[in-house]
Amino acid sequence: MKTLEIPTFECETGNYHTFRPISCVAWLYQKIEDSFFLVVGTKTCGYFLQNALGVMIFAEPRYAMAESEEGDISAQLNDQKELERICLRVKSDRNPSVIVWIGTCTTEIIKMDLEGIAPKLEKQLGIPIVVARANGLDHAFTQGEDTVLAAMTHRCPEYNRRTADQHEGDVARHVADDVAPNRKFSDGKDRSSGGNLVLFGSLPSSVASQLNLESRRQSISVSGWLPSQKYTDLPALGEGVYVCGVNPFLSRTATTPMRRRKCQLVGAPFPIGPDGTRAWIEKICLVFNVKPDGLEERENQMWKNLSDYLEMITGKSVFLMGDNLLEISLARFLIRCGMVVYEIGIPYMDRRYQAAELLFLQHTCEKMKKPMPRIVEKPDNYSQVQRMHELQPDLAITGMAHANPLEARDIDTKWSVEFTFAQIHGSVNARDALELVTRPLRRRSDSILGCRNLSRQAVDV
Amino acid sequence: MKLAYWMYAGPAHIGTLRVASSFKNVHAIMHAPLGDDYFNVMRSMSERERDFTPVTASIVDRHVLARGSQEKVINNISRKDEEQHPDLIVLTPTCTSSILQEDLQNFVDRASLSSESDVIPADVNYHRVNELQAADRTLEQITRFHLDRARSRKTLDRSVTNGPSANIIGIFTLGFHNQHDCRELKRLPGESGVAVNQVMPEGGSLKCLKDLPRAWFNTVPYREVGLMTATFPEKDYGMPYISITPMGISNTADFIAQIGKLVNVWASALSEKRLNYKLYVDNQTKFVSQAAWFSKSIDCQNLAGKEAAIFGDATHAASITKILVKEMGIRVSCSGTYCKHDAERFDEQVRGLCDEVIVTEDHTEVGDTIARIGPSAIFGTQMERHIGKRIDIPCGVISSPVHIQNFPLGYRPFLGYEGTNQIADLIYNSFNLGMEDHSLDVFGGHDTKEVSTKSPPTDRKHINWIPEAELEPNRIPGFVRGRAKKNTEVFAKQNNISEITIDVMYAAKEKSSS
């Protein structure tokens, strides 16, 4: 048997394509129903949102740009007055429960004191203003959500253990009745003293309830989500609350409740794929001192359901160029599905927050007798394309800037962005995730008139 | 600060990138933070571009913020020079670099010492110009750079081509139907004996730029991009240019007449035979273009006096206004553009053709205007298409900004004689679909299930159909009869009418059609 390989990390130039972190408004405004997102930036940000979000922009979205003009940059205009004018209009037009200011590169460079202005305007307007710095200087794509959720952590109400226990007991009783009517509630009595569980990460509500159900099956009730469906329903945080992430890009959000709210972090692999979901719930059970029940059968059943897809991808190779930080979990899931992963590109690798996931990746490689892929932080897209030419992977998971050119060079691609928007969490959605992965492979038909390569450039090279 | 949801023209660097990436073997390096290379996605997706977009970023991150870019930009330039050997590297400023006020010229000077490629900084001010102005400026800058150098190296060929020839300036990537227009434009002078010397920037090679002045004249099909590039050779080399957009029958005829004038001036000087363009125009107008015949046909008669609202870039909005009014007899209630920098000229072009001119970059103003007018059809950008959807008015898309569906694979020029056919289809289909929907509504809607649906008996108790009126619905098609009856009853109820006569029926119909 192979010895356990230690993951090696490389770091390249950071010349890679990804979405701007402000794109998080697209899914967050939909998730938090009573919010309004105001992106304080320039035309460049606006142009990005308008084009990246496609038809959403026509649906009267609850987000807008506060577009800085020359006068703002040269400080001829007063930031506070300008923002006040704009927020008053937002208030009168939409009446949101919270306005989230998204700071951008511009506000960073001109050092606009959003954090300082917000409390003043908040008082004046009577609407909470949350400030998140989701700028391209520090962050990539999904990390935008991380900045917003970390900022929202401060707005969560204080967890009061005694009253909450009472309340939680009530909830747990209902839950127990729902899930396992035969089982007596007394089973859970000793556990309720363990504290309560808040999950963080924005997921569509149906996926969130699926994950709730996963933990209820183990008689652990989820007491709240960050973010909640409404800003006014943010979960209580405080000593005795366990928090656990559902997405790999939430490292700031993970540290904030620990350091600022005295919560305890459950470091687990992420619930992506049946293997990930099981490992995730097992870790939570371990923390809550619950003996997991029926997880193995459940996982096996899930894999059985996926057999048609697995047949299609077993032995195929994949190259992840990296742009949304889901890459480690996705690679681990695909290796467990029998694929060979050549390279995991990733914008940023938090080895502490992802420690459990990394270890799980290592074990998965060992179990499946697959080589440990190289992990490339801040990848260089140009070099990656060169490597891909040599490796000729069966599938490249990549951004839209490279997808068509790679297809023209006869490398099948899957747009990585889709993994951010599709429902891939929990065992139930593993099928959806594989549906995405296998799409380019299923579509594959015989080449037209023997044209394998349809690029114009390659002819000269 | 400005509250904004939507913009018609993008930021300046997009214009520069569009021009740079249209040329062959030109690479643009943006001085920008992570994620600003969204242009690559747009080009790859919308244009379905099969090659890597020659645009990279020299990333501005925290370190750059603290210490400046220092060697980073220069290293990126040299690296690109070694990797891909482009003819030219265009260093592109973004909003970030303009706020940081880094000295891009200095980077360029230092980088050009070591690199084999030419390196220039795009001379665009982020806050002063938009995408289109920047594209115009960059195209001029690149052209001037190469012509000036050729002149100083004495490699500039000033002799004109033997036969008449023209340059086509302003065809570029992500332009609205530009690829198709280009094909049509090559044909147009081609058929009348004029060769195409160069097309730029799309597919143009910088090595050939020095031969640009060999053409007899330049043509600039779109007002927004190319005018600057055409005006300086006129001054420096005495090269005339045609800035008429050959869109619509009369504009195309004017365009050809201009070609005729320019060619024949030279032809007589070179003792070549004079070409007769009138016959060509006549033939094309009558037989190649169906638009002239279409405007005479009864189809178009039905459109006479219908109202339309138009909004788009200056070129397309003005030309379509002219086509609708002069060639189809449609009333244009409102014509507008977002090209504020070209407002005066736009106003001049459409004055007298429409009731109202709007020049704005605010889509809500456009939406409000359209809603107030309530035209039968809208011709605008994707934004107007959605405005139309909201208020149930059909819309033909005639200008950027556009979606992927406006980059059709099939041949869809807007210019030239084939263009007139395409435009006629677009206009007729937009109006006709509107009328079809409307008459369906009048007759009670699509849903054939409704035929058997009878109003609840309690409702009918108070409504009495007089026998004569009872027979009337039998005259309309069966599948809409039920709905028509029901609509009439609803109308009667709303107006407290207890007896339905034929008059009431028609009043109901009139009400629903207003």
Side-chain angles (χ1 to χ4, degrees):
Chain A
M1 201 177 131
K2 252 180 146 178
T3 50
L4 202 66
E5 280 184 74
I6 314 265
T8 51
F9 298 95
E10 288 169 51
C11 188
E12 286 190 318
T13 60
N15 271 324
Y16 63 99
H17 166 78
T18 181
F19 271 22
R20 300 174 129 237
I22 53 171
S23 49
C24 67
V25 305
W27 63 87
L28 287 176
Y29 94 80
Q30 289 183 330
K31 174 71 193 177
I32 310 171
E33 287 165 359
D34 51 354
S35 62
F36 189 96
F37 285 80
L38 188 71
V39 181
V40 188
T42 57
K43 250 175 170 322
T44 311
C45 310
Y47 195 66
F48 165 76
L49 280 179
Q50 168 172 328
N51 285 294
L53 307 192
V55 286
M56 255 185 237
I57 201 90
F58 298 111
E60 305 238 346
R62 286 188 321 278
Y63 68 80
M65 292 290 309
E67 197 181 296
S68 351
E69 293 163 297
E70 207 165 3
D72 299 302
I73 306 295
S74 53
Q76 284 160 348
L77 297 166
N78 179 310
D79 298 338
Q80 186 172 337
K81 285 209 177 109
E82 292 295 300
L83 283 167
E84 181 189 330
R85 185 171 52 79
I86 283 176
C87 288
L88 273 172
R89 228 186 99 189
V90 169
K91 187 186 174 184
S92 75
D93 289 355
R94 307 291 180 95
N95 197 28
S97 311
V98 60
I99 298 178
V100 183
W101 287 352
I102 303 287
T104 61
C105 320
T106 314
T107 57
E108 227 33 54
I109 297 169
I110 64 173
K111 299 192 168 48
M112 195 184 282
D113 183 20
L114 293 178
E115 276 95 345
I117 300 172
K120 292 181 205 156
L121 281 191
E122 187 169 313
K123 221 175 267 170
Q124 219 171 312
L125 273 99
I127 298 179
I129 295 174
V130 172
V131 181
R133 300 178 173 199
N135 61 69
L137 297 167
D138 305 305
H139 305 291
F141 196 12
T142 47
Q143 288 181 298
E145 175 181 323
D146 194 20
T147 62
V148 174
L149 296 190
M152 279 204 177
T153 309
H154 299 284
R155 305 302 181 111
C156 291
E158 192 56 43
Y159 172 70
N160 186 327
R161 195 162 190 168
R162 207 181 308 155
T163 54
D165 269 358
Q166 186 59 43
H167 174 71
E168 190 204 347
D170 294 345
V171 174
R173 192 169 298 125
H174 287 301
V175 170
D177 289 350
D178 285 352
V179 176
N182 305 334
R183 207 184 290 171
K184 287 274 174 297
F185 178 62
S186 57
D187 288 354
K189 216 164 205 174
D190 21 344
R191 286 197 283 277
S192 65
S193 58
N196 71 3
L197 178 65
V198 169
L199 300 180
F200 56 87
S202 162
L203 292 179
S205 57
S206 62
V207 182
S209 33
Q210 281 158 12
L211 288 184
N212 285 345
L213 197 70
E214 296 274 2
S215 67
R216 268 184 219 165
R217 278 178 211 275
Q218 307 303 329
S219 311
I220 298 166
S221 70
V222 175
S223 64
W225 279 78
L226 175 69
S228 42
Q229 206 70 23
K230 295 224 150 143
Y231 175 78
T232 45
D233 296 337
L234 282 178
L237 295 179
E239 208 171 343
V241 175
Y242 286 88
V243 293
C244 184
V246 299
N247 266 323
F249 45 77
L250 297 171
S251 41
R252 269 162 188 264
T253 315
T255 48
T256 318
M258 278 199 298
R259 294 189 184 152
R260 309 295 293 270
R261 307 298 296 266
K262 298 192 171 120
C263 298
Q264 271 172 290
L265 179 69
V266 181
F270 302 99
I272 292 172
D275 51 339
T277 311
R278 177 181 166 192
W280 179 74
I281 199 78
E282 267 174 353
K283 184 64 190 279
I284 292 173
C285 286
L286 187 74
V287 169
F288 282 82
N289 206 13
V290 172
K291 193 164 169 285
D293 182 26
L295 280 180
E296 193 175 349
E297 298 88 78
R298 194 169 152 70
E299 194 198 341
N300 290 340
Q301 186 55 46
M302 286 298 166
W303 286 117
K304 212 174 276 171
N305 293 347
L306 296 174
S307 57
D308 50 338
Y309 280 145
L310 295 184
E311 212 171 288
M312 214 176 296
I313 54 175
T314 303
K316 294 253 164 65
S317 56
V318 58
F319 190 111
L320 292 101
M321 283 184 86
D323 74 343
N324 59 14
L325 285 94
L326 292 173
E327 290 87 2
I328 302 281
S329 317
L330 209 53
R332 178 260 304 151
F333 171 44
L334 294 180
I335 291 170
R336 178 63 185 76
C337 290
M339 293 187 93
V340 179
V341 177
Y342 286 147
E343 176 167 327
I344 306 176
I346 187 167
Y348 169 72
M349 181 74 237
D350 185 333
R351 278 168 236 184
R352 276 196 352 206
Y353 176 60
Q354 294 222 45
E357 182 66 80
L358 279 169
L359 196 67
F360 193 32
L361 169 72
Q362 231 170 305
H363 287 306
T364 305
C365 287
E366 189 188 3
K367 185 177 165 194
M368 301 301 293
K369 300 195 171 52
K370 292 278 175 346
M372 182 76 190
R374 59 194 274 182
I375 298 173
V376 181
E377 268 185 274
K378 290 168 168 270
D380 185 285
N381 280 166
Y382 186 84
S383 315
Q384 284 186 314
V385 170
Q386 307 300 320
R387 289 200 287 275
M388 245 187 274
H389 276 312
E390 282 168 32
L391 295 164
Q392 288 292 322
D394 294 311
L395 181 71
I397 296 182
T398 175
M400 296 205 223
H402 292 94
N404 266 339
L406 286 172
E407 288 281 352
R409 282 156 185 75
D410 202 27
I411 292 175
D412 280 334
T413 60
K414 181 76 230 135
W415 301 335
S416 50
V417 180
E418 285 191 73
F419 292 99
T420 325
F421 292 103
Q423 309 191 343
I424 59 169
H425 291 75
S427 348
V428 188
N429 293 311
R431 222 184 146 74
D432 284 24
L434 284 190
E435 155 79 25
L436 288 180
V437 173
T438 54
R439 196 176 296 159
L441 304 168
R442 277 177 288 135
R443 176 206 55 174
R444 175 126 238 187
S445 54
D446 288 334
S447 59
I448 302 159
L449 294 173
C451 303
R452 303 300 287 166
N453 193 324
L454 293 164
S455 134
R456 289 196 198 97
Q457 279 171 348
V459 178
D460 310 330
V461 175
Chain B
M1 256 180 236
K2 191 168 87 180
L3 188 63
Y5 298 87
W6 167 267
M7 67 185 78
Y8 284 102
H13 70 272
I14 298 286
T16 296
L17 298 181
R18 283 176 62 189
V19 165
S21 60
S22 293
F23 277 114
K24 250 191 236 159
N25 211 21
V26 171
H27 200 100
I29 294 183
M30 302 165 69
H31 188 246
L34 195 64
D36 265 11
D37 56 354
Y38 189 73
F39 172 75
N40 298 28
V41 175
M42 288 173 52
R43 187 153 181 273
S44 174
M45 296 310 296
S46 297
E47 288 263 45
R48 301 183 187 86
E49 185 55 58
R50 48 183 91 193
D51 289 318
F52 291 104
T53 301
V55 172
T56 43
S58 173
I59 304 283
V60 175
D61 56 15
R62 242 338 123 176
H63 298 295
V64 171
L65 211 56
R67 318 171 306 195
S69 287
Q70 297 187 349
E71 299 301 312
K72 199 172 183 182
V73 175
I74 296 161
N75 290 343
N76 276 314
I77 294 176
S78 329
R79 193 187 146 191
K80 209 28 85 183
D81 176 49
E82 280 165 32
E83 281 169 357
Q84 291 180 303
H85 317 292
D87 295 332
L88 174 72
I89 293 176
V90 181
L91 184 58
T92 309
T94 59
C95 58
T96 308
S97 64
S98 91
I99 303 167
L100 283 174
Q101 298 189 323
E102 285 204 77
D103 189 357
L104 297 190
Q105 182 66 52
N106 173 36
F107 294 146
V108 164
D109 291 344
R110 283 163 60 202
S112 12
L113 291 177
S114 60
S115 83
E116 279 175 40
S117 318
D118 293 321
V119 190
I120 60 170
D123 179 21
V124 288
N125 182 318
Y126 181 85
H127 291 288
R128 309 264 161 91
V129 297
N130 68 19
E131 173 184 0
L132 298 169
Q133 293 164 288
D136 201 13
R137 174 83 188 93
T138 304
L139 185 57
E140 189 240 23
Q141 203 191 344
I142 294 177
T143 316
R144 192 190 283 273
F145 175 80
H146 283 86
L147 290 189
D148 284 354
R149 196 175 54 184
R151 186 149 59 170
S152 68
R153 287 184 185 168
K154 305 222 181 327
T155 52
L156 194 68
D157 192 350
R158 300 280 303 265
S159 66
V160 292
T161 52
N162 292 334
S165 65
N167 298 317
I168 301 172
I169 299 176
I171 305 284
F172 67 148
T173 189
L174 290 170
F176 183 72
H177 292 243
N178 271 16
Q179 310 293 341
H180 312 290
D181 281 350
C182 182
R183 211 167 115 192
E184 188 64 19
L185 267 179
K186 281 180 180 167
R187 197 171 90 178
L188 208 53
E191 282 177 353
S192 43
V194 178
V196 173
N197 184 45
Q198 280 180 27
V199 177
M200 49 183 297
E202 185 64 53
S205 164
L206 297 182
K207 295 196 172 99
C208 309
L209 266 188
K210 62 176 178 14
D211 293 331
L212 200 74
R214 296 201 65 202
W216 289 24
F217 59 92
N218 288 319
T219 58
V220 183
Y222 314 109
R223 283 198 61 73
E224 287 75 20
V225 177
L227 271 184
M228 282 177 89
T229 315
T231 41
F232 90 84
E234 188 192 33
K235 224 168 96 199
D236 292 8
Y237 306 105
M239 259 182 109
Y241 69 91
I242 302 175
S243 63
I244 294 171
T245 306
M247 197 186 305
I249 293 178
S250 64
N251 275 352
T252 308
D254 286 352
F255 178 80
I256 302 224
Q258 283 278 336
I259 293 183
K261 221 168 91 189
L262 290 174
V263 168
N264 284 331
V265 166
W266 280 90
S268 53
L270 295 170
S271 73
E272 285 206 6
K273 70 172 169 47
R274 292 175 67 90
L275 294 159
N276 185 352
Y277 287 93
K278 212 169 163 311
L279 197 66
Y280 172 74
V281 169
D282 265 10
N283 258 325
Q284 294 283 321
T285 308
K286 277 187 195 148
F287 305 114
V288 173
S289 166
Q290 304 292 324
W293 156 238
F294 172 72
S295 61
K296 192 82 189 74
S297 73
I298 49 167
D299 265 348
C300 199
Q301 220 175 74
N302 283 339
L303 298 183
K306 289 235 170 276
E307 276 187 76
I310 295 170
F311 195 82
D313 64 26
T315 300
H316 289 84
S319 305
I320 297 287
T321 305
K322 204 168 163 190
I323 293 170
L324 284 180
V325 175
K326 290 193 168 168
E327 295 174 16
M328 295 186 166
I330 290 160
R331 183 163 156 217
V332 174
S333 323
C334 161
S335 177
T337 182
Y338 54 84
C339 297
K340 272 183 152 169
H341 58 279
D342 203 23
E344 215 169 289
R345 153 95 191 191
F346 180 78
D347 193 65
E348 194 179 289
Q349 293 224 302
V350 300
R351 193 183 298 151
L353 296 179
C354 57
D355 305 346
E356 183 175 350
V357 178
I358 50 170
V359 178
T360 180
E361 289 172 330
D362 180 358
H363 76 280
T364 51
E365 198 184 328
V366 179
D368 291 348
T369 311
I370 292 174
R372 169 167 53 78
I373 294 168
S376 310
I378 310 167
F379 298 95
T381 70
Q382 279 294 335
M383 186 35 105
E384 282 69 46
R385 194 170 73 82
H386 282 267
I387 292 171
K389 253 188 181 169
R390 206 161 55 219
I391 55 179
D392 236 358
I393 298 174
C395 176
V397 176
I398 54 142
S399 157
S400 295
V402 288
H403 287 166
I404 190 160
Q405 69 256 40
N406 301 109
F407 292 92
L409 300 173
Y411 188 47
R412 300 271 166 73
F414 267 62
L415 302 186
Y417 287 109
E418 180 52 32
T420 61
N421 293 338
Q422 297 289 340
I423 293 171
D425 276 345
L426 178 77
I427 292 173
Y428 182 68
N429 289 343
S430 303
F431 275 110
N432 208 31
L433 280 179
M435 295 219 294
E436 189 176 280
D437 274 355
H438 184 71
S439 31
L440 266 172
D441 263 359
V442 170
F443 288 123
H446 261 297
D447 200 348
T448 47
K449 280 182 220 137
E450 296 279 353
V451 177
S452 57
T453 313
K454 292 200 173 90
S455 314
T458 42
D459 281 3
R460 297 204 71 167
K461 257 184 196 164
H462 310 284
I463 294 169
N464 187 20
W465 288 73
I466 69 157
E468 210 179 341
E470 192 93 66
L471 292 174
E472 192 66 20
N474 293 339
R475 295 182 191 188
I476 56 176
F479 67 96
V480 290
R481 207 172 291 150
R483 272 293 281 273
K485 270 177 141 174
K486 200 175 153 197
N487 283 353
T488 310
E489 284 175 8
V490 169
F491 172 81
K493 233 180 116 190
Q494 279 168 353
N495 292 284
N496 285 325
I497 298 168
S498 58
E499 200 176 40
I500 293 180
T501 61
I502 292 181
D503 287 346
V504 173
M505 275 192 72
Y506 283 114
K509 192 180 159 195
E510 209 172 282
K511 179 81 187 307
S512 61
S513 56
S514 63

